[in-house]
Amino acid sequence: MKHTNYVAYYRVSTSKQGQTGLGMQAQQQAITDFLHHHGGKLVAEFTEVGSGKKADRPEFEKAVDYAHLANAVLLVAKLDRLSRDLHFITELQKKGIRFKLADFPDIDQLTIHILAAMAQHEAQMISQRTKAALRAARTRGVTLGNPQLDTYRNHNPQLATLARTTAQREWRQKIIKVIHHIQQLQPQITSVGIAKTLNQRGLSSYRNKPFTGSIVSRLLRQQ
C-alpha cells in the first residue's frame, strides 16, 4: 500500500522562539504523533519565523512548491500555524493546495466547508443556472463557444510552444528552490547526491524521469 507523502510546515512567531525552539517542540511532537497514528512519510520540513498575519512568507511558499512537486500533502500542527485569516485558508482550498492538521485531521474538509458554505452554495447556484441556460440555448439551436477554437489550437504552434516553455520555466523555478533547500541543509552535497535526495523524496524530472547528477548540474547552470 502506497503511503501519503507529507511536507511539514512549522511557524514560530518570534526569532527568540526560532532560536530556542520554544513552540517548535510541541509542533514537531504533533506531527510525529499524527504520522504514528495515521501513517505516511515525511519528505521535507520548513520553518517560518514570523507572524501569521504577514503576507510575505517565503518558507510557506517553499513548502507549498515542494508539496506540489512531490505530490505531497502539507502538514501543520494546528490551524493557526497556517493562519487565523479565513480568506487565507479558503484561498488554499481554491488553489487546490492539500493540507492536513495534526491536531484535527478532518478540519480541512469539515470546518472550512462550514465556514465557506454560503459562498460555495452561491457559486454552485450560479453554475447550475449557467448550465441550465446553456442547455436551453442548445435546445434552441444556438451555436455555443468559439467555432474557430479548434482551428486556432491546431494551427497555432507558437502558442503551444509558449505554453510548454512557460510550464517548464515554472517547474524549473520550483525545483531550484527545493535544490537550494537541500544545499542549505548539506552545503557539501554534490549534484549526484542532490539527485539521489530528490529521488528519495518522491520528486521526478519535468518528464517524470528519475533525477541524475547531469540533470541537476544542468538545472543549476540554467538558474
Side-chain angles (χ1 to χ4, degrees), residues 143-151:
T143 300
L144 302 173
N146 183 355
Q148 302 297 323
L149 186 57
D150 288 337
T151 300

Side-chain angles (χ1 to χ4, degrees), residues 96-107:
I97 298 172
R98 298 182 297 158
F99 67 91
K100 284 283 187 183
L101 306 179
D103 68 335
F104 192 176
D106 294 326
I107 197 170

Side-chain angles (χ1 to χ4, degrees), residues 47-154:
T47 301
E48 196 92 64
V49 179
S51 169
K53 297 179 180 179
K54 287 176 119 183
D56 181 22
R57 294 166 67 174
E59 293 304 309
F60 176 75
E61 296 298 330
K62 290 178 185 177
V64 169
D65 286 345
Y66 199 112
H68 177 240
L69 289 166
N71 190 28
V73 176
L74 199 63
L75 181 60
V76 295
K78 54 194 301 186
L79 186 61
D80 66 5
R81 294 305 86 195
L82 284 176
S83 178
R84 292 186 176 92
D85 183 354
L86 175 60
H87 176 72
F88 181 92
I89 300 299
T90 53
E91 277 299 308
L92 299 184
Q93 187 181 48
K94 289 178 183 178
K95 292 177 181 178
I97 298 172
R98 298 182 297 158
F99 67 91
K100 284 283 187 183
L101 306 179
D103 68 335
F104 192 176
D106 294 326
I107 197 170
D108 57 329
Q109 295 297 317
L110 175 62
T111 305
I112 290 181
H113 283 182
I114 294 173
L115 295 174
M118 294 306 296
Q120 289 181 349
H121 176 70
E122 179 61 21
Q124 291 169 356
M125 294 301 293
I126 291 172
S127 176
Q128 290 173 7
R129 289 195 293 267
T130 301
K131 289 178 181 178
L134 291 174
R135 285 195 298 268
R138 291 193 187 98
T139 301
R140 296 196 304 270
V142 176
T143 300
L144 302 173
N146 183 355
Q148 302 297 323
L149 186 57
D150 288 337
T151 300
Y152 179 72
R153 284 173 173 165
N154 295 332

